[in-house]
Amino acid sequence: MSTAATSLDLTAIRAQFPILQQPDPRGRPVIYLDNGASAQKPQRVIDKEIEVYSRHYANAYRGVYEFGQIVDDSVEATRQTVRDLIGAESQEEIVFTSGTTMSLNLVASCWGRHTLKPGDEILLTEMEHHANIVPWQMIAEQTGAVVRYIPLTSDYRLDLSDLPGLITERTKIVAVTGMSNVLGTLVDPRPLADAVHQVGGVLVVDAAQSILHQQHHVVNDGIDFLTFSGHKIYGPSGVGVLYGKREHLEAMPPFLGGGHMIERVFPDHSTWSPPPAKFEAGTLPIAQAIALKPAIEFVQELGYASIQAHEHDLLVKATEQLSEVPGLKIYGPGLDHKGAIVTFTLEGAHPQDLAFLLNKKGVCVRHGHHCTMPLHDKLGLTATVRASFGVYNTAEEVDQLTDALHYARKRLRLS
Ligand code: PLP
């Protein structure tokens, strides 16, 4: 099995994922199309976690004994790999967190407290995940800042026609998704970075979805803060990344207080370690941080260009086939502006019933508001169904999704 557009050997890729080699709990092949929620793990990631626990587990940055040194070096090796992946200038700019949600809360809280004054503006987009809305609302309430939104065009892209009206002297933070987890819309950070830097603000990119599909280069793209989760890039859950430009990490106060983040603790006050330790209070997700490295290497070995070409083929095929299902409506921009996510509704079918019926054919998709209530309100919907693709998905699985949709229509007596 290989794809026409690229040299990717899908049989070899799939063979690396043990979960795809076994039947699901009902004995059927696994047709996993919920990569937007979380991606499956290649054997090398699983092996790495087992290796840490079975061969040299210790806390990180605590012990001078051999195990402790191996753990410290391994965590630092992941930091270096993340730095290479996103083009950061130094590994001190890479902070480990528990995931995108914590990374965004960290930036909102720390950078927000550091910079925001009453009347200042935080600019988001209408298609953000709740993780890139709620922390900003919370800090806005504490500081008197105001949250505003970049609107969407009728074809589900960012409407930047009035950029000077959106990004003004009051704008201190622009926080945008790299790729919508519902519409699949890809966002070019560069024009936003240029505009917000001109008024002295910063650009935050929530790369939770985009990191799986496309290259980010924080320096070339002018990104001040970038966040992602290990579990969405074929890595472990429980570990995430916050990239912050060194000068920002140095300037802002810490998020959590506790062990490891201090330089000196006195009875009445404390001083902070330099970044990244300043933002890594307490025990890290040790094995998870170490096993993030082989996950990123898996992506780097395949290369974003090949991943994108293959996923684009799947997106084109899925869009063509699903568009022919009577009553089915897809939400998202033209295929040149989106990543491999197809979100839809089927007339006469509740999204939950539809997801349930697709599962009867072994197809795993997500239904609901996908943590984007404001976007769903804008679409005039309470819920949708989402098929989200990863690099191991195949053209045959797109056929199986289509067949399952026809089956669901029959079961719901829609045809
Ligand atoms: N941002 C986007 C665009 C997402 O899709 C998600 C998760 O689905 C998140 C943030 C939150 O990620 P996590 O739950 O890993 O913190």
Side-chain angles (χ1 to χ4, degrees):
M1 210 189 308
S2 70
T3 66
T6 71
S7 52
L8 288 188
D9 178 348
L10 281 195
T11 308
I13 291 173
R14 289 177 70 84
Q16 296 184 49
F17 289 79
I19 206 163
L20 303 178
Q21 306 308 313
Q22 51 156 34
D24 79 359
R26 289 210 219 158
R28 305 163 306 190
V30 177
I31 306 164
Y32 188 76
L33 303 181
D34 197 15
N35 296 282
S38 204
Q40 300 298 346
K41 320 300 169 203
Q43 188 66 51
R44 63 177 91 178
V45 170
I46 300 164
D47 286 347
K48 185 53 84 176
E49 281 209 43
I50 293 171
E51 180 193 307
V52 174
Y53 287 129
S54 53
R55 300 209 9 224
H56 44 247
Y57 179 76
N59 208 327
Y61 308 116
R62 305 291 193 271
V64 291
Y65 47 90
E66 298 297 333
F67 285 2
Q69 285 301 307
I70 294 171
V71 163
D72 294 0
D73 291 348
S74 306
V75 172
E76 285 309 310
T78 302
R79 232 186 271 279
Q80 179 66 47
T81 303
V82 173
R83 177 202 148 165
D84 293 345
L85 179 78
I86 62 172
E89 275 179 347
S90 83
Q91 105 190 35
E92 285 74 37
E93 297 178 312
I94 309 300
V95 177
F96 289 119
T97 65
S98 64
T100 307
T101 300
M102 180 174 164
S103 299
L104 288 166
N105 274 276
L106 195 164
V107 187
S109 172
C110 302
W111 189 254
R113 267 187 292 150
H114 176 61
T115 54
L116 293 173
K117 301 199 177 43
D120 285 346
E121 292 181 358
I122 303 162
L123 188 63
L124 313 178
T125 83
E126 288 184 328
M127 59 182 174
E128 295 309 314
H129 187 281
H130 295 165
N132 199 28
I133 298 177
V134 183
W136 300 112
Q137 291 174 336
M138 288 161 68
I139 196 69
E141 202 177 313
Q142 288 166 33
T143 59
V146 177
V147 175
R148 295 183 65 204
Y149 294 87
I150 304 176
L152 296 183
T153 59
S154 56
D155 61 345
Y156 308 104
R157 297 174 64 196
L158 285 190
D159 185 352
L160 300 181
S161 55
D162 182 25
L163 204 50
L166 288 167
I167 299 182
T168 70
E169 292 294 328
R170 287 190 298 279
T171 312
K172 295 291 175 292
I173 297 162
V174 176
V176 298
T177 186
M179 172 178 158
S180 160
N181 63 316
V182 173
L183 305 170
T185 309
L186 295 166
V187 173
D188 177 5
R190 193 69 247 187
L192 296 167
D194 292 343
V196 74
H197 291 158
Q198 255 175 28
V199 296
V202 296
L203 177 66
V204 181
V205 173
D206 167 5
Q209 290 295 330
S210 49
I211 198 76
L212 183 68
H213 310 284
Q214 69 164 23
Q215 180 85 56
H216 283 288
H217 194 291
V218 290
V219 174
N220 295 350
D221 292 343
I223 296 169
D224 295 279
F225 295 99
L226 180 127
T227 63
F228 69 89
S229 303
H231 69 98
K232 293 201 204 268
I233 185 169
Y234 309 106
S237 57
V239 66
V241 166
L242 167 66
Y243 157 80
K245 231 176 153 175
R246 181 194 286 266
E247 66 205 64
H248 301 330
L249 294 182
E250 277 168 1
M252 67 193 202
F255 184 44
L256 300 174
H260 187 60
M261 51 76 73
I262 50 83
E263 178 190 58
R264 185 78 169 83
V265 177
F266 302 93
D268 60 345
H269 76 285
S270 303
T271 57
W272 318 135
S273 294
K278 180 178 166 187
F279 301 100
E280 291 180 346
T283 294
L284 283 177
I286 300 161
Q288 292 76 12
I290 294 172
L292 179 58
K293 181 172 187 279
I296 293 172
E297 287 166 348
F298 166 76
V299 168
Q300 288 172 320
E301 278 167 30
L302 298 177
Y304 275 112
S306 301
I307 292 173
Q308 266 174 345
H310 168 57
E311 290 179 351
H312 190 72
D313 285 352
L314 296 178
L315 180 66
V316 171
K317 185 174 164 69
T319 306
E320 280 171 9
Q321 292 186 185
L322 267 56
S323 302
E324 284 177 10
V325 175
L328 189 143
K329 178 165 184 201
I330 296 175
Y331 301 87
L335 299 186
D336 288 343
H337 303 289
K338 73 184 284 192
I341 280 179
V342 184
T343 293
F344 54 91
T345 51
L346 182 65
E347 208 181 323
H350 190 281
Q352 185 168 353
D353 296 339
L354 193 53
F356 179 79
L357 288 169
L358 295 181
N359 180 52
K360 289 235 172 252
K361 291 289 175 188
V363 176
C364 310
V365 293
R366 183 165 171 195
H367 72 279
H369 53 66
H370 316 289
C371 301
T372 58
M373 282 183 180
L375 174 62
H376 275 71
D377 287 346
K378 186 179 168 70
L379 298 175
L381 300 167
T382 51
T384 48
V385 177
R386 178 184 72 185
S388 50
F389 298 93
V391 68
Y392 40 63
N393 288 125
T394 64
E396 291 71 27
E397 289 177 317
V398 175
D399 292 335
Q400 284 159 324
L401 168 66
T402 311
D403 291 347
L405 279 163
H406 287 297
Y407 160 81
R409 286 191 78 250
K410 281 206 187 87
R411 285 289 307 269
L412 292 165
R413 299 181 201 284
L414 298 175
S415 60

